């Protein structure tokens, strides 16, 4: 059915965006701030791919409960082609070019979600599309903030268009969904409550459940694991209280990753941990 094809392409799109940003993190690995920034966004894109994957499974298991949808896949296919072209280029992009690519891609994706929402062709997936549109808009702002922090100010004109409309149309992710589904995993809620109670007392290594001499790859994997389980975007249909706890937890994860992924910051952090003043 067309709805399954659409969800499959959306999942592929989010996965490819994650792959592109992870590739950028390797391209700019000598620039700690840029590498950490791109890797962080890549993890979020993978989280979004998981959200779409979950929705696709629900549809495939209950296909009779979902109406058909009229969806033009051409824009998504074009974006996938653009991503592939960027990664196949013989000359690696500069940081400025990579940021421009990212802003243009995120904006085109946000606009497509926006247009899809306006069609209101299928109420069952409207909440998902609205959330993805809001996520894209947030990434646009993140890229713009990073550009400004690096002393830049130029943003492609297209990225300034329709952001207000997208924001109004997208609204808070899942605003029309139930605050918390009856099938919410009780064990997950208990884990969220437990971690939110104790995370401030954990050092970054304990929080990530890794050894003090963990490698960069082990740190990235730990961060990715935390994101896939506790990222607020993964649980946008939960209550505001739970989403705030998840936001607190993930903010700590971001700080932990930013510190441990930087050799200089990690060295200072380790020195502070071993200081007698902490005992």
């Amino acid at each position: 059915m067309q709805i399954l094809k659409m969800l499959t392409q959306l999942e592929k799109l989010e996965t490819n965006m994650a792959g592109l940003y992870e590739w950028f993190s390797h391209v700019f690995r000598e620039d700690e701030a840029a590498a950490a920034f791109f890797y962080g966004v890549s993890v979020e894109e993978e989280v979004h791919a998981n959200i779409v994957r979950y929705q696709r499974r629900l549809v495939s298991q209950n296909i009779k409960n979902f109406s058909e949808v009229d969806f033009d896949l051409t824009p998504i296919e074009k974006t996938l082609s653009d991503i592939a072209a960027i990664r196949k280029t013989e000359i690696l992009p500069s940081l400025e070019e990579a940021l421009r690519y990212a802003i243009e891609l995120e904006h085109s994706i946000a606009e497509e979600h926006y247009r899809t929402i306006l069609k209101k062709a299928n109420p069952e997936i409207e909440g998902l599309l609205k959330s993805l549109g809001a996520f894209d808009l947030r990434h646009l702002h993140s890229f713009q903030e990073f550009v400004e922090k690096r002393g830049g100010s130029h943003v492609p004109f297209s990225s300034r268009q329709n952001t207000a409309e997208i924001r109004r149309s997208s609204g808070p992710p899942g605003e029309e969904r139930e605050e918390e589904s009856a099938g919410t995993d009780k064990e997950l809620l208990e884990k969220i409550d437990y971690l939110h109670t104790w995370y401030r007392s954990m050092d970054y290594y304990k929080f990530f459940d890794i050894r003090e001499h963990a490698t960069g790859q082990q740190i990235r994997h730990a961060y990715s694991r935390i994101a896939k389980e506790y990222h607020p975007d993964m649980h946008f249909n939960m209550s505001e209280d739970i989403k705030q706890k998840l936001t607190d937890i993930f903010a700590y994860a971001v700080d932990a990753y930013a510190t441990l992924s930087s050799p200089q910051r990690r060295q200072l952090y380790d020195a502070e941990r071993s200081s007698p003043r902490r005992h």
Side-chain angles (χ1 to χ4, degrees):
M1 295 181 69
Q2 183 75 355
I3 186 172
L4 284 176
K5 185 176 181 181
M6 182 273 290
L7 290 171
T8 298
Q9 287 296 90
L10 273 180
E11 180 186 340
K12 185 177 180 180
L13 176 60
E14 300 292 347
T15 300
N16 276 259
M17 291 294 289
L20 176 66
Y21 295 147
E22 185 172 8
W23 181 66
F24 281 159
S25 75
H26 289 299
V27 171
F28 305 110
R29 57 185 175 276
E30 299 300 324
D31 185 328
E32 291 179 5
F37 174 75
F38 277 118
Y39 184 75
V41 180
S42 77
V43 169
E44 290 200 340
E45 290 290 356
E46 186 59 41
V47 167
H48 301 163
N50 287 338
I51 294 173
V52 180
R53 187 175 300 118
Y54 175 73
Q55 181 71 58
R56 180 171 57 80
R57 289 173 181 168
L58 286 180
V59 172
S60 63
Q61 293 170 4
N62 305 275
I63 194 67
K64 294 182 180 179
N65 296 331
F66 291 86
S67 57
E68 190 53 275
V69 60
D70 180 19
F71 191 87
D72 182 8
L73 295 174
T74 304
I76 291 181
E77 292 169 351
K78 181 182 183 303
T79 302
L80 288 170
S81 177
D82 291 342
I83 293 172
I86 293 171
R87 297 194 62 173
K88 288 181 180 179
T89 181
E90 294 183 2
I91 302 176
L92 294 178
S94 65
L95 179 57
E96 181 181 358
E97 290 172 331
L99 290 168
R100 186 179 71 250
Y101 289 148
I103 289 172
E104 291 176 347
L105 286 171
E106 290 287 353
H107 186 255
S108 66
I109 295 169
E111 281 197 315
E112 180 54 28
H113 290 320
Y114 169 59
R115 287 193 295 269
T116 302
I117 293 165
L118 291 183
K119 292 179 182 178
K120 296 185 181 297
N122 191 289
E124 291 89 347
I125 62 169
E126 184 178 352
L128 171 69
L129 293 170
K130 289 177 69 175
S131 297
L132 292 176
F135 299 156
D136 294 338
L137 182 59
R138 189 181 65 203
H139 279 174
L140 272 174
H141 292 163
S142 295
F143 281 115
Q144 172 63 16
E145 289 174 0
F146 187 81
V147 169
E148 293 174 353
K149 286 180 181 178
R150 299 303 289 259
S153 59
H154 174 70
V155 178
F157 178 75
S158 61
S159 70
R160 299 181 184 274
Q161 299 174 342
N162 292 333
T163 54
E165 287 86 348
I166 295 172
R167 185 185 296 108
R168 286 196 297 269
S169 181
S170 298
E175 65 178 355
E176 294 182 1
R177 294 190 172 198
E178 296 181 3
E179 283 294 297
E180 198 168 316
S181 67
T184 297
D185 190 340
K186 181 179 179 181
E187 182 180 353
L188 174 61
L189 293 177
E190 291 176 349
K191 289 170 66 176
I192 292 171
D193 284 337
Y194 175 83
L195 190 55
H196 188 261
T197 299
W198 295 105
Y199 79 91
R200 294 181 184 86
S201 64
M202 299 178 180
D203 65 34
Y204 291 156
Y205 296 102
K206 184 175 181 180
F207 178 77
F208 277 156
D209 193 23
I210 56 177
R211 297 178 181 274
E212 295 182 8
H213 301 294
T215 65
Q217 184 177 20
Q218 290 170 332
I219 293 168
R220 287 192 295 273
H221 286 171
Y223 176 63
S224 180
R225 174 178 53 79
I226 289 289
K228 289 176 181 178
E229 187 166 9
Y230 296 105
H231 196 294
D233 291 354
M234 284 292 293
H235 309 285
F236 58 83
N237 60 330
M238 286 190 173
S239 68
E240 291 302 319
D241 176 60
I242 295 298
K243 285 190 287 187
Q244 184 57 57
K245 290 180 179 179
L246 289 165
T247 298
D248 294 341
I249 291 170
F250 192 67
Y252 193 74
V254 170
D255 288 341
Y257 174 71
T259 297
L260 299 184
S261 62
S262 166
Q264 290 78 13
R265 292 180 62 178
R266 184 177 182 179
Q267 184 177 22
L268 291 173
Y269 178 74
D270 288 343
E272 182 181 351
R273 286 178 64 246
S274 60
S275 172
R277 289 178 297 176
R278 291 181 57 91
H279 301 290

